[in-house]
Amino acid sequence: MASLLCNARIQLTETLEKMQQGTLMRKVKSKSWKKQRFFKLQDDCMTIWYQSKRTGKIESAFSISDVETVREGHQSEVLQSLAEEFPPERCFTIVFYGRRGNLDLIAGTEEEAQCWVQGLRQLIEVATSMDQRERIDQWIRDWFQKADKNKDGRMNFKEVQRLLKMMNVDMNEDHALRLFQAADKSESGTLEGEEFVLFYKALTEREEVQSLFQEFSEDGKKLTLLELVDFLRQEQLEEEGTEELAMELIDKYEPSETARARHVLSADGFLMYLCSPEGSIFNPQHRALWQDMTQPLCHYFISSSHNTYLIEDQIRGQSSIEGYIRALKRGCRCLEVDCWDGPNGEPIVYHGHTFTSKIPFREVVSTLGKYAFQASDFPVILSLENHCSMEQQEVLAQQLKDILGEQLLTATTDGRVPTQLPSPEELKHKILLKGKKIGRLEDTLDGPGDEVPDVSDDDNGAEAEEERRRMKDRESLAQALSDCVVYCKNVSFRGFQEARNHSRPSEISSLSEAKARKLIRDAGNEFVRHNTWQLTRIYPSGMRTDSSNYSPQEMWNAGCQIVALNFQTAGMEMDLCDGLFNQNGHCGYVLKPPFMRDEGTLFNPSDPSTWQGPGPVTLTIQVISGQQLPKVANSKDGAIIDPLVRVEIHGVPADQAHQETKYIENNGELVVWGPTVLVPALSPTRACSALTGFNPHWDETLQFQLHVPQLALVRFVVEDYDKTSRNDFVGQFTLAFANIKPGYRHIHLLSKDGTGIPPSSLFVHIRITEPPGPEQD
């Protein structure tokens, strides 16, 4: 069974063998909570569990695929608080994907710590470099480990039945026994090794894919190179270099060396392609940096976080540098920091006048300097909420300069007064401070304006008013901190006309969500025009004490660039944010459509008469099937989900829409079959093995009209239907319409906090129909 249990790419080194023997370490949650736990790497080399030393009870287990990275030393607030008690050589932090809390550990010796740090890093590298087939093999191993209760490397029928329930499979006992007996080639009454693989293949047989394969295969056994080219052109709408693409897919996904040598694709290879990044609904070319990055900053949507320091709610939540690390690793490019006077002359960061915990400003800046450009090379904007005294403002400025050094932008890129904002390309690896500034940017460039200028009656008091503001700022703002603000000077919003009269691209206004909505409603086109030349930041209502979010879509519809969300709060709003910024190299900048970059634009998101173009685009989605859908968290043992799929369109008001498939009951009966399938290449088939929750079939077609597809996001949601209460969330995937690939595609589902849940997916067919162009004479 060892061949099944241990990943073939893992070399069992002395380090991994020691991890398999287990190590006693301290698990740390706070300065006072330090308890000994026994940590052990399992035989599959991909699972770690730990147990209490006192009770011997297994507390928890996690998969290596859940681990993002390992940090050595005192690289968490908890371990920093214990720096005097435990040396850094014995300390390390395991960081998980998503919003799961970190695991801080203290080993008994430096050697034990190094063993686990190096071993974990080796295993993480293997996990992150797995291809689709290896991920599925690992998934099989994970399930085998869970089901093999007596750990003898075999599974009897009772263990198989338990496995089916764990996997969310509702199958009658007779059918399960037939699959079991068919796979038990040795007739031993148990499954082991390749027998278990046979059982898994029978369990997950994809009839709908086999039907599609045979549609294009003359002999029903393989796709020749020309047959694969036909499929790619006719169904996947691949246009250029199709023969070269077909060759690449065969070389990459065909498991048989003989078939590869003959340039043919087997049914297994065809399925591997459809489940791969090339077979995904998300255009793989748009994963990389694909947009023009030389336009002014205001021409981009910018991934932005509100109250970045919080990892819980705004009243009693914990303030943590982890909030900054997580946001930056997700590609966030605008972070918020609330600064207040702290003890010993050191400014602190927290949500003022609440019970949230506090962190030193110095630590935030150090974290920013370290992580700012790990996920993206493009500029970071630090939005400073300054509540400090003059003395501690001087400290703020000094710490920013000392810690960030050359990263901190303290002058314009060319030393001149800007007529437009610089581009992300020009500002690569720079950190811009957003905050109040004494006087105008041109005063800084021309030399300090110490004297009050003469003001004539013809100036209508505008200059005098500006000077009064300048004098007031001097009384409350330290010059050193003011000098750190260059392109993002905070100004109060006094209307679009006044902003245009001053015409200073380096100024920025922050608006509450309610104020922004009013402006969109009352002056939608003016708002869009304003955002073509100046930055606008939107922030959540102060009433959102639970750190809930507003929909960012309505703000993006008006061209607002910095739409700040509570990154710590999962939900539809953050799904939209991830969906928009999941493209363009995950760099945190997405270029706005051309009609939102033109200062003379007529576009108003609420007024269809201002939209240019021949007419709406039709998006047709055939929801065919689901694969390996997970059980709902905290569901009862044996409970099987009743899955349905909802497709949501988020865009301008006229495009907002959603449609649902029927739900499939756990007895295998589809409540109502959907309408006639519009795509002729695939006839509707029932899942003969009745894998209702696990591999459900819908075969339903949904259709949408998109008037402004350039702003549309499409969200696919799988839910467990509940007739007595709210449906339970199963998984989702969101992407910009511009990133959709047509044809037969898999949608790889994400969990509530945006992390992958492989191999859970939906299989769909996508058709995009453009409106007819103007008739030719």
Side-chain angles (χ1 to χ4, degrees), residues 693-711:
F694 189 62
N695 284 347
H697 285 234
W698 292 279
D699 285 305
E700 290 194 55
T701 300
L702 313 176
Q703 199 167 78
F704 301 91
Q705 302 289 314
L706 305 182
H707 300 81
V708 189
Q710 302 93 326
L711 288 174

Side-chain angles (χ1 to χ4, degrees), residues 69-76 80 93 95 121 321-322 324-325 328-329 333 335 362-376 380 403-405 407 429 431:
T69 190
V70 180
R71 300 184 202 145
E72 292 183 74
H74 300 144
Q75 291 206 55
S76 74
Q80 284 171 5
T93 301
V95 181
R121 285 176 176 167
I321 57 170
E322 286 301 325
Y324 291 94
I325 296 172
L328 288 166
K329 284 194 167 183
R333 297 289 87 188
L335 312 171
R362 179 190 298 276
E363 285 185 21
V364 172
V365 180
S366 297
T367 301
L368 179 58
K370 182 174 181 180
Y371 290 94
F373 303 108
Q374 286 192 7
S376 170
V380 171
I403 297 169
L404 298 180
Q407 289 181 320
H429 302 116
I431 295 170

Side-chain angles (χ1 to χ4, degrees), residues 103-162:
L103 183 58
D104 290 314
L105 299 173
I106 301 172
T109 66
E110 180 182 343
E111 291 70 30
E112 286 178 344
Q114 274 304 302
C115 171
W116 278 84
V117 168
Q118 298 307 321
L120 284 168
R121 285 176 176 167
Q122 176 190 341
L123 297 175
I124 292 167
E125 188 175 345
V126 170
T128 53
S129 61
M130 285 182 190
D131 61 26
Q132 184 71 16
R133 180 173 293 276
E134 289 171 318
R135 288 181 191 277
I136 290 176
D137 287 347
Q138 181 57 45
W139 191 76
I140 299 174
R141 282 192 290 271
D142 288 346
W143 280 115
F144 189 94
Q145 284 277 69
K146 291 174 185 175
D148 184 20
K149 288 294 182 185
N150 57 11
K151 305 301 177 192
D152 63 353
R154 302 165 182 264
M155 279 207 312
N156 59 35
F157 184 60
K158 189 174 182 180
E159 287 175 318
V160 165
Q161 286 182 298
R162 188 184 299 117

Side-chain angles (χ1 to χ4, degrees), residues 21 48 64 69 99 131 264 268 279 289 297 331-332 342 391-392 424-425 456 474 521 572 618 683 734 754 771:
Q21 292 165 13
I48 290 167
I64 294 295
T69 190
R99 294 173 175 84
D131 61 26
V264 298
D268 277 352
L289 196 68
L297 276 184
C332 181
E391 293 76 18
Q392 292 209 10
E425 183 67 35
S456 69
R474 281 209 184 101
R521 187 172 62 248
M572 177 269 290
T618 302
S683 58
T734 308

Side-chain angles (χ1 to χ4, degrees), residues 619 621 623 645-649 657-661 702 704 714-717:
L619 172 63
I621 301 170
V623 181
V645 177
R646 183 173 65 255
V647 180
E648 304 168 354
I649 305 297
H658 69 269
Q659 294 180 37
E660 291 181 354
T661 66
L702 313 176
F704 301 91
V714 184
R715 183 172 182 252
F716 295 84
V717 190

